[in-house]
Amino acid sequence: MSECEPNETDPVVADDIAPVAAAAASTTDLNFRSQEPLSTLFDRNTVGSGTNPGVAIRISGSCESVLTELETDGSGEETLLLPCLSGGTSSPRGERQKRTRRNRRSSSSDKDNLTSPGNSSGDFNHFPGDPEFGDIIQRAEQAIEGGVFPERISQGSSGSYFVKDSKGKVLGVFKPKSEEPYGHLNPKWTKYFHKLCCPCCFGRGCLIPNQGYLSEVAASLVDTRLGLGVVPKTKAVYLVSETFHYNTIDRAKSRGKKYALEMVPKVGRHFHRVGLPPKLGSFQLFVEGYHEADYWLRRFEAEPLPENIRKQLQSQFERLVILDYVIRNTDRGNDNWLIKYEKPGEGEGEKVSCVCAIQIAAIDNGLAFPFKHPDEWRAYPFHWACLPQAKVPFSQETRELVLSRLSDMNFVQDLCEDLYELFMADKGFDKTMFERQMSVMRGQILNLSQALKDNKTPIQLVQMPRVVVERRRTGGQGRVVTLGTAFTQTFHCKRPFFSSW
């Protein structure tokens, strides 16, 4: 017999029986109501209890039903959107603990989303160190909310978009991670047939797949650290738009949540987000007045430049060479770097005298930072090596700009650490593969420093032996390997089947 049950010999008072009977009756009534399949009461105080995904619940006093679902946020973690009462029983104490833990994790912005669920990506994009860039992203988000959607670019083998402001002016180019050349949501079919018909040449064996957006951002970071100024500012952002390529499930979930919000506002306001999920990708600021390099290079052959303009072009070209060589860009053709040229007298007098008349913009840096030198089928050469500018030795201005930095191992190590903080944010980050990427980059920097000291030309630079500089292992405990501060230099002798040098 339990200690809670009264003993037969214990006296029982009638006044004590009444509250116990009332409590038992209320408990029985509650259990009876929880077993009714079609009249489950929904109370916002029960949010946080467990549920089974895909179970339909019915709101008391209404004929509308809403499906509960699990939503995946940007980090890949699943969070419960609309909990309902599960079939099992749970203690009120456990429910209070769940609500307390959830409330501790929630922020003030999450509370706002409960009353007004949104479909923008503003909660993800924060740039406290660059308010100007943050203002541009905010303008882009406001334009999308106002119906000015990004426009897909027809060129290229991936899904990339011109992002505009509310007036239709192009602000930048957005390249989602999921729509990269070999991404699972690439809207262009060329790479699919490439994989299907020619699997032996599928992809680039020297690159980590589906990290193009990080390569774009990292190229901008290297450009900033070296002071080159040839890469338009690029950062990783979250954006959402109906013109992006989503699968059928995401679009169906979006329509279902919008319908629930319209028909049952009390339920819909508990959604974390209404609309399509934001996409992570690289956002590169749009540069105006530029044309493809092929266009201007042909013009310069027919109309030779003045000597001072020619020197400016050579200086800008050398900065492009340094960038591509350091990051080992495997996709630098004359169609993915741009030139802006203002002839003397075309612009305003003050601007012509203060601003360089000719400038270069290095775009499409998504196929860089390989973890090994190309050594299989293709060499992926630098197409600028065939230009006349590649036969001119590096200028003194260029050597003074970057040689002191590239020769400083502390600067190189700091650059590697900055890149580590950038790449580790990706959920597919592999520390071992990243270290191999940095080994290739250190080798490129070592060759570049030597070429600048020896007054070599860009064509001589790309013909130098390929070097890999690895950090020496200093041992460790068990499976933990410690990398020291010493480096080992090795030469990469294996060459691809089709090689131009």
Side-chain angles (χ1 to χ4, degrees), residues 73-74 152 157-161 174-189 191-192 209-214 216 236-241 243-247 250-251 276-282 426-427:
D73 57 7
R152 184 183 297 170
S157 57
S158 63
S160 53
Y161 302 84
F174 180 66
K175 298 181 180 180
K177 175 183 177 180
S178 60
E179 301 185 29
E180 291 182 4
Y182 301 105
H184 66 287
L185 290 177
N186 185 3
K188 300 178 181 177
W189 291 81
K191 291 302 177 181
Y192 173 77
N210 210 26
Q211 280 195 353
Y213 81 104
L214 285 178
E216 295 273 3
V237 302
Y238 284 89
L239 288 179
V240 55
S241 173
T243 54
F244 295 160
H245 189 227
Y246 290 95
N247 55 32
D250 286 336
R251 293 192 180 274
L276 296 167
K279 287 199 173 190
L280 172 64
S282 63
D426 187 75
K427 63 179 181 180

Side-chain angles (χ1 to χ4, degrees), residues 426-499:
D426 187 75
K427 63 179 181 180
F429 175 74
D430 189 331
K431 189 174 182 179
T432 302
M433 299 300 294
F434 174 79
E435 184 58 32
R436 294 180 63 182
Q437 289 176 297
M438 295 300 99
S439 298
V440 174
M441 191 183 74
R442 294 190 198 99
Q444 297 291 98
I445 292 177
L446 181 63
N447 273 354
L448 178 59
S449 301
Q450 191 62 40
L452 292 174
K453 293 177 182 177
D454 297 342
N455 199 24
K456 291 185 177 182
T457 63
I459 185 61
Q460 293 174 334
L461 170 64
V462 299
Q463 293 174 347
M464 295 178 66
R466 295 175 294 177
V467 180
V468 176
V469 179
E470 300 176 328
R471 294 180 64 180
R472 187 177 302 172
R473 299 186 178 186
T474 58
Q477 296 180 356
R479 297 183 179 181
V480 180
V481 179
T482 305
L483 299 176
T485 57
F487 297 87
T488 303
Q489 173 183 340
T490 57
F491 292 90
H492 191 89
C493 300
K494 185 179 178 181
R495 293 186 175 274
F497 185 81
F498 300 102
S499 179

Side-chain angles (χ1 to χ4, degrees), residues 412-432:
V412 175
Q413 186 59 30
D414 291 341
L415 178 60
C416 293
E417 292 177 357
D418 292 339
L419 292 174
Y420 176 82
E421 295 180 359
L422 172 63
F423 278 82
M424 70 176 297
D426 187 75
K427 63 179 181 180
F429 175 74
D430 189 331
K431 189 174 182 179
T432 302

Side-chain angles (χ1 to χ4, degrees), residues 28-56:
T28 304
D29 185 43
L30 176 61
N31 293 335
F32 176 76
R33 285 202 303 267
S34 64
Q35 295 175 359
E36 293 181 0
L38 296 179
S39 61
T40 303
L41 294 178
F42 180 83
D43 186 4
R44 83 177 55 176
N45 294 329
T46 62
V47 176
S49 59
T51 186
N52 296 324
V55 178

Side-chain angles (χ1 to χ4, degrees), residues 112-188:
D112 296 337
N113 290 334
L114 291 176
T115 58
S116 179
N119 26 336
S120 67
S121 54
D123 295 340
F124 300 96
N125 300 320
H126 300 285
F127 306 97
D130 194 347
E132 182 179 356
F133 187 87
D135 179 66
I136 294 176
I137 299 301
Q138 185 178 6
R139 289 165 54 192
E141 293 171 344
Q142 293 174 352
I144 294 175
E145 293 177 357
V148 183
F149 299 111
E151 178 184 354
R152 184 183 297 170
I153 303 175
S154 59
Q155 296 88 354
S157 57
S158 63
S160 53
Y161 302 84
F162 284 126
V163 181
K164 306 176 182 180
D165 62 5
S166 57
K167 298 181 180 179
K169 179 182 178 182
V170 179
L171 297 176
V173 177
F174 180 66
K175 298 181 180 180
K177 175 183 177 180
S178 60
E179 301 185 29
E180 291 182 4
Y182 301 105
H184 66 287
L185 290 177
N186 185 3
K188 300 178 181 177

Side-chain angles (χ1 to χ4, degrees), residues 393-411:
F394 286 99
S395 62
Q396 181 64 27
E397 176 187 359
T398 301
R399 289 197 295 268
E400 293 177 354
L401 177 64
V402 299
L403 183 56
S404 59
R405 302 179 184 180
L406 298 177
S407 302
D408 185 2
M409 288 305 299
N410 292 327
F411 173 83

